[in-house]
Amino acid sequence: MTINNNFKFGQTKAFQCNYLPKQQERLIVLMNPEELTSQAYNSLLTVGFRRSGEQVYRPHCEFCQACESIRLEVKKFSPSKSQKRIQKNNKWFSIVLTKKPKPSYYPLYERYINTVHKEGSMYPANKEQYEGFIFSNQVAQLFIEIYDGQKLIAVAVCDKLKNALSALYTFYDPKYQKYSLGKFCILSQIDITQKLGLQYLYLGYQIDDCAKMNYKQQYLPHQRLRNNQWQEIKQIKK
């Protein structure tokens, strides 16, 4: 693996963790993101970095190692019974791929944040926050649109890299919550990653002690980055 020698990294001060309230969070941050390319970002993902807007970062907490990068080697993925049921129940939804975002995305994002995540740090949604969080001028993106007939009901935003898709964020129409659209979008991303001939789908960070993050570990087998080595997990510990 080769990482751009021109990259410069800095370290943030400790601040309140958004996921584990009793912990302090600290990040390593790429200081010159203008040097980023899709190929370089692919390499950074393999050592635990992630993107939010133009910011690329990795947890570097002094007293906590709870955040683990998680990815799927998509050819090995085997859906569970409940995941197969979600796919069957949603089989009439249509999926469209595009490299360019549409104006219709923001109203959907706004409804999602203001309804589903009223307790989160992104509430209330605004367009400046949306644009600063979702988009990148440096990394190629892929937008997975889910439609019920002609109605846009979900968007899964991904970064398209040399050998992987990296799931950035998914938002959906809150009226469709009963269809498990978040899980359906991950299953769709797995399928699309396979069809594009890519090896991995990166899902960000898994935090076992954070209930709202635990959905990621339900996709098996998956790999987690531990002590700078990717380890395969075939079943969830109960």
Side-chain angles (χ1 to χ4, degrees):
M1 181 197 69
T2 301
I3 295 179
N4 189 334
N5 289 330
N6 295 324
F7 281 163
K8 298 177 182 178
F9 298 94
Q11 182 175 287
T12 68
K13 294 181 179 179
F15 56 94
Q16 181 69 46
C17 180
N18 287 322
Y19 299 104
L20 301 175
K22 295 182 180 180
Q23 296 291 346
Q24 292 286 300
E25 183 177 359
R26 191 171 61 180
L27 304 174
I28 293 176
V29 179
L30 178 64
M31 302 299 291
N32 53 341
E34 68 277 1
E35 295 286 340
L36 192 68
T37 64
S38 291
Q39 183 174 355
Y41 185 45
N42 197 109
S43 297
L44 288 170
L45 279 169
T46 66
V47 292
F49 282 84
R50 182 156 174 78
R51 161 180 99 75
S52 175
E54 301 294 2
Q55 184 185 67
V56 178
Y57 64 94
R58 183 179 71 183
H60 189 66
C61 305
E62 187 174 3
F63 302 110
C64 180
Q65 304 294 321
C67 291
E68 296 178 328
S69 290
I70 183 170
R71 71 184 184 185
L72 304 177
E73 189 170 0
V74 293
K75 286 185 178 180
K76 293 184 177 182
F77 171 70
S78 180
S80 65
K81 289 182 179 179
S82 64
Q83 289 163 352
K84 288 179 180 178
R85 188 161 54 248
I86 290 170
Q87 290 175 314
K88 182 179 179 181
N89 291 344
N90 296 348
K91 64 182 180 181
W92 68 82
F93 294 152
S94 57
I95 300 174
V96 176
L97 305 184
T98 181
K99 297 178 182 179
K100 299 291 185 181
K102 295 185 173 72
S104 56
Y105 292 179
Y106 178 69
L108 184 64
Y109 173 88
E110 185 178 54
R111 291 199 304 276
Y112 173 76
I113 294 295
N114 291 350
T115 303
V116 179
H117 290 293
K118 285 184 178 180
E119 307 301 322
S121 59
M122 294 191 294
Y123 176 85
N126 64 73
K127 201 160 189 179
E128 182 180 3
Q129 167 223 61
Y130 159 76
E131 292 176 347
F133 168 47
I134 295 292
F135 303 115
S136 171
N137 293 318
Q138 308 299 121
V139 177
Q141 292 188 270
L142 184 67
F143 301 90
I144 302 170
E145 304 170 348
I146 311 295
Y147 288 87
D148 182 5
Q150 298 298 313
K151 182 180 181 182
L152 179 68
I153 61 171
V155 178
V157 183
C158 305
D159 292 325
K160 187 176 183 299
L161 308 168
K162 182 179 180 181
N163 73 337
L165 287 184
S166 176
L168 178 74
Y169 200 64
T170 294
F171 48 96
Y172 56 81
D173 189 330
K175 293 181 180 178
Y176 283 75
Q177 273 190 293
K178 68 178 182 179
Y179 294 99
S180 301
L181 286 178
K183 295 177 181 179
F184 179 67
C185 282
I186 291 180
L187 294 168
S188 299
Q189 288 170 314
I190 293 170
D191 182 57
I192 290 164
T193 303
Q194 289 179 321
K195 288 178 178 176
L196 291 174
L198 304 175
Q199 186 174 6
Y200 297 111
L201 173 64
Y202 286 83
L203 294 177
Y205 299 116
Q206 165 64 26
I207 305 171
D208 287 345
D209 291 333
C210 179
K212 64 182 179 181
M213 299 288 280
N214 277 338
Y215 67 92
K216 296 179 182 181
Q217 68 177 339
Q218 298 169 10
Y219 300 85
L220 295 166
H222 63 250
Q223 299 177 1
R224 300 196 198 185
L225 188 62
R226 293 174 172 171
N227 298 317
N228 296 316
Q229 296 289 328
W230 287 98
Q231 299 182 16
E232 185 169 85
I233 309 296
K234 295 184 178 180
Q235 61 182 10
I236 303 171
K237 293 182 180 180
K238 296 183 179 180

